[in-house]
Amino acid sequence: MTLDISRDHALELLRDMIRIRRLEEKSAELYSKQKIRGFLHLYIGEEAVGVGAMRALRMDDNIVATYREHGHALIRGVSAGEIMAEMYGKANGCSGGRGGSMHLFCAERRFYGGHAIVGGGFPIAAGLALADKMKGEALVTACFFGDGATDEGEFHETLNLTALWKLPVLFLCENNQYAMGTAFERHVSDRDIANNPPAYGIPSDSVNGMDVVAVERAVHNAAETVRETGAPRFLELRTYRFRAHSMYDAELYRDKEEVEEHKKEDPIATFQARAMSEGLITQDDVDAIEADAAQEIADAVEFAEQGEWEPIEDIARHTYARNLP
Amino acid sequence: MTTYREAVRTAIQTLLREDPRVFLMGEDVGRYGGAYAVSKGFLEEFGEERIRDTPLCESTFVGAGIGAAIGGMRPIVEVMTVNFSLLALDQVVNNASLMRHMSGGQFEVPLLVRMATGGGKQIAAQHSHSLENWYAHIPGIKVLAPATVQDAHDMVLAGIEDPDPVFIFEHQMLYGMEGPLDTESTPPSPWKAAVRREGKDVSLIAYGGSLHKALGAADELEKEGIVAEVVDLRSLRPLDHETIVQSVSRTHRAVVIDEAWKTGSLASEISAILAEEAFYELDAPIERVCTLEVPIPYAKHLEDAAIPQVDRIVAAAKRSVGGA
């Protein structure tokens, strides 16, 4: 089966996936240099999900993401500089240095976080969709979450509520096979996650999350259906995390062979090879994309390095609209 | 005269009539009319879009309130009682209170959550908690405890007007209480404590359902020549240090009444504030009258013994005065 996309489209998909990967690689490097601290969860291996999904959504749609969200924010249009500065904890970060890696926010791009309590974003997504519905706006709220989140009560509660109230939420399950260190088959009773939503009357589907074109098409179609019907839909995007859960993770729970096996499906390498074999792009294109990404990341690091630290005197800001007496 | 229930109801009704962004959701708020009958008739007047009966999922409907507030609405979420609100505590602690901070000020949560609290109705251990202090512990949210009919009305209006998440605790024994309601005058700031009765011998500091027991105790004390001042905290976060300290600076004695368990209670916090800010004004040790450190029993005589009552407040005040 051919990709059936234009050359420009292929270039954009590849460019965005490479941008995420290079950003993540640089983040890991800066973590080891202690420029970035705290928790850092890398998206390497899962880029096709973020890129395909973000490109399929409209800029006026709402995004609710998880703590593994650097890629989502980047493709949504938050600059690499603002993301990097946030990870540095600098005031020029996209959350003013208050959030860090796990709490990227951007009001302008309707990027509603960066949530690090697994499952905690579901009700927020339902509420955003409820607000849109009550205001008569035909927007989609895209709610990203991992397979681990489907264990949480709020997942089932939110499926029930959004189906009952007909709220325009697109549930996007990034199934990377692990809830931190607990393998999918060890934390989910029904191996087919897409079986859950139909129990609440929500149509669902599973997609190969290592195939950026498949993700983009599936999310586009699902989002348009949500937009037209105003009712929720669910997509499982089957993917795999190549790196550790976080920088603290020694990966004692899985074999290196398993990881290597999945790396054969690397979303960037496979897509690049297909696009080249179909004559859509050339090695020169890839080299140019790599050069641009390298420059973008270098600029981002510079932006973060040059950023200011928020003065300690301002610590009470953003606790309330007005500081309390 | 108006009941406390009617005052809450009038305020919500006013908001629903005046602001299309306002809507009410919670368990049984619609067809049932609210577990405490606050929203009776609302479904007929405002329709299902704005009066939303929720499934039984406290975490998700409180979280949906947070999302809707971020999305530009002004939700009033009724959690039937504080006991059930524990299921939503993650949404309160990890989302409502943190959104403004984590987003560097980009997103705010103008959400109003109301719930009934307290014991006294023989509804046993799982339905009689007073956990306002848990909420008052959390920076990023505000906590109100209306003790009067007027405050029951005004605090709903203030809660919706406020750009931050506001939690209102309505003591379940107060819904039937009658009092005057003025809907014309500009209400006082909800964030300040109020002296409900002036006195000179001892300050009885209380809030919510306990305020009326404190006032009852002041009546008893007066018969014995002790003139107690009664302070109503009104706002539990922020806490109005000034009014408390000023009162104790006049009376030099303090009895703090709180229906929560004593350990880690707001009564403890008030005591600490007085120790820090009014130490040299005190002529006697601070007294705390709180719920005994046991689950609230069902049997009436045991429940009465567990939670603060007038006689315990009177005894504490006498100890305070007698120990000068």
Side-chain angles (χ1 to χ4, degrees), chain B residues 6-135:
Chain B
E6 189 63 30
V8 176
R9 176 193 161 73
T10 301
I12 298 174
Q13 196 170 34
T14 303
L15 290 164
L16 284 163
R17 284 176 181 167
E18 290 176 359
D19 188 344
R21 300 171 305 171
V22 173
F23 68 99
L24 176 69
M25 68 172 158
E27 291 155 356
D28 277 321
V29 298
R31 203 167 285 187
Y32 189 98
Y36 293 91
V38 165
S39 49
K40 223 167 147 187
F42 281 12
L43 185 63
E44 289 71 22
E45 181 175 353
F46 301 106
E48 288 194 338
E49 231 356 62
R50 299 181 71 202
I51 307 298
R52 293 182 165 265
D53 279 320
T54 63
L56 277 63
C57 54
E58 288 77 5
S59 185
T60 289
F61 70 72
V62 169
I66 296 167
I70 296 170
M73 302 299 285
R74 290 290 182 277
I76 301 175
V77 176
E78 178 175 309
V79 180
M80 206 177 277
T81 78
V82 67
N83 313 285
F84 315 148
S85 80
L86 303 189
L87 290 160
L89 214 45
D90 167 62
Q91 287 296 327
V92 176
V93 177
N94 278 311
N95 286 340
S97 70
L98 301 184
M99 208 55 70
R100 181 187 295 282
H101 162 85
M102 291 195 301
S103 68
Q106 293 179 80
F107 293 113
E108 61 184 19
V109 185
L111 167 71
L112 174 60
V113 179
R114 302 170 35 246
M115 63 187 92
T117 187
K121 278 202 164 163
Q122 278 194 275
I123 49 180
Q126 292 182 331
H127 283 73
S128 302
H129 291 300
S130 292
L131 299 170
E132 297 85 270
N133 59 322
W134 290 24
Y135 288 82

Side-chain angles (χ1 to χ4, degrees), chain B residues 74-248:
Chain B
R74 290 290 182 277
I76 301 175
V77 176
E78 178 175 309
V79 180
M80 206 177 277
T81 78
V82 67
N83 313 285
F84 315 148
S85 80
L86 303 189
L87 290 160
L89 214 45
D90 167 62
Q91 287 296 327
V92 176
V93 177
N94 278 311
N95 286 340
S97 70
L98 301 184
M99 208 55 70
R100 181 187 295 282
H101 162 85
M102 291 195 301
S103 68
Q106 293 179 80
F107 293 113
E108 61 184 19
V109 185
L111 167 71
L112 174 60
V113 179
R114 302 170 35 246
M115 63 187 92
T117 187
K121 278 202 164 163
Q122 278 194 275
I123 49 180
Q126 292 182 331
H127 283 73
S128 302
H129 291 300
S130 292
L131 299 170
E132 297 85 270
N133 59 322
W134 290 24
Y135 288 82
H137 181 63
I138 306 163
I141 67 171
K142 297 178 180 177
V143 181
L144 294 170
T148 66
V149 168
Q150 189 68 47
D151 274 351
H153 172 271
D154 296 346
M155 286 179 177
V156 168
L157 300 186
I160 275 291
E161 196 180 307
D162 200 272
D164 290 307
V166 175
F167 290 74
I168 297 183
F169 290 85
E170 298 160 0
H171 197 287
Q172 58 163 342
M173 298 302 281
L174 298 182
Y175 285 111
M177 180 184 72
E178 291 194 329
L181 176 64
D182 171 5
T183 56
E184 302 299 324
S185 312
T186 306
S189 165
W191 314 113
K192 297 293 286 179
V195 175
R196 297 296 186 193
R197 175 187 176 129
E198 291 186 358
K200 60 180 179 55
D201 296 327
V202 57
S203 295
L204 308 181
I205 302 165
Y207 71 88
S210 296
L211 174 72
H212 305 281
K213 292 174 179 172
L215 289 166
D219 287 343
E220 293 296 312
L221 290 163
E222 195 166 30
K223 292 176 194 161
E224 303 187 35
I226 298 168
V227 186
E229 178 148 304
V230 180
V231 178
D232 177 2
L233 291 174
R234 301 177 73 233
S235 171
L236 307 182
R237 185 179 192 94
L239 270 173
D240 174 9
H241 294 209
E242 194 185 7
T243 301
I244 306 164
V245 169
Q246 280 175 354
S247 174
V248 173

Side-chain angles (χ1 to χ4, degrees), chain A residues 60-64 76 110 112 128-129 132 139-143:
Chain A
D60 54 357
D61 291 332
N62 306 314
I63 312 293
V64 177
R76 186 63 177 177
R110 302 179 82 93
Y112 293 90
L128 288 166
D132 288 338
L139 303 177
V140 173
T141 296
C143 181

